């Protein structure tokens, strides 16, 4: 899944830097499922006092799974989303997306979530081929 970049924006990028707002808008329109999931966890986090909010529902198809992988595997996309939503994103098992408060990143819950142990504990036979 690639980004659908309008010609005018691509031309701007060829001439110099592109602002986050324009970049994030391309992500929003190109990866709508990933945007919805990340937007949802960021909204859930803002509406709570918890250190993080997560989404564990498997995507409805491989196309949507591909959007999550594209969004969270790209440093530029992930960073743009984190800045836009004011969160730190974490990702497990090809579909579990979590949004953490920036203040929680050095905490035990965040470290446990992103640890090898955390990844192993969140495995299941159903996720082997995802």
């Amino acid at each position: 899944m690639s980004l659908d970049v309008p010609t005018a924006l691509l031309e701007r990028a060829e001439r110099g830097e592109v602002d986050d707002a324009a970049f994030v808008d391309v992500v929003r329109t190109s990866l709508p499922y990933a945007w919805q999931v990340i937007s949802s966890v960021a909204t859930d986090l803002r509406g709570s006092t918890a250190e993080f909010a997560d989404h564990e529902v498997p995507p409805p198809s491989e196309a949507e799974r591909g959007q999550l992988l594209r969004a969270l595997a790209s440093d530029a996309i992930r960073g743009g989303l984190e800045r836009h939503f004011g969160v730190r994103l974490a990702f497990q098992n090809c579909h579990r997306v979590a949004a953490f408060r920036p203040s929680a990143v050095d905490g035990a819950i965040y470290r446990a979530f992103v640890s090898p142990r955390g990844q192993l504990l969140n495995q299941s036979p159903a996720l082997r081929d995802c």
Side-chain angles (χ1 to χ4, degrees):
M1 168 72 42
S2 189
L3 297 179
D4 183 18
V5 183
T7 302
L9 183 58
L10 184 57
E11 289 170 354
R12 278 181 37 208
E14 289 170 349
R15 291 190 306 271
E17 291 296 315
V18 176
D19 64 25
D20 261 359
F23 178 66
V24 168
D25 190 54
V26 167
V27 172
R28 180 186 58 78
T29 59
S30 299
L31 306 172
Y33 178 78
W35 178 270
Q36 182 273 319
V37 169
I38 294 166
S39 177
S40 174
V41 295
T43 298
D44 290 350
L45 183 62
R46 278 192 302 275
S48 78
T49 58
E51 289 187 43
F52 78 101
D54 65 339
H55 176 89
E56 295 186 80
V57 179
S61 75
E62 289 305 307
E64 284 87 359
R65 186 181 318 281
Q67 287 187 33
L68 283 178
L69 293 172
R70 178 76 173 111
L72 295 164
S74 165
D75 291 340
I77 295 173
R78 186 180 194 146
L81 292 168
E82 288 176 337
R83 290 185 299 277
H84 177 78
F85 290 109
V87 299
R88 172 66 68 89
L89 297 171
F91 188 51
Q92 289 181 341
N93 297 342
C94 63
H95 70 261
R96 186 177 184 198
V97 178
F100 283 83
R101 297 183 191 286
S103 61
V105 171
D106 289 328
I109 293 172
Y110 176 81
R111 287 192 312 269
F113 189 96
V114 300
S115 72
R117 180 178 184 267
Q119 179 68 50
L120 292 172
L121 293 173
N122 280 289
Q123 293 301 125
S124 76
L127 300 173
R128 299 264 324 203
D129 293 327
C130 72

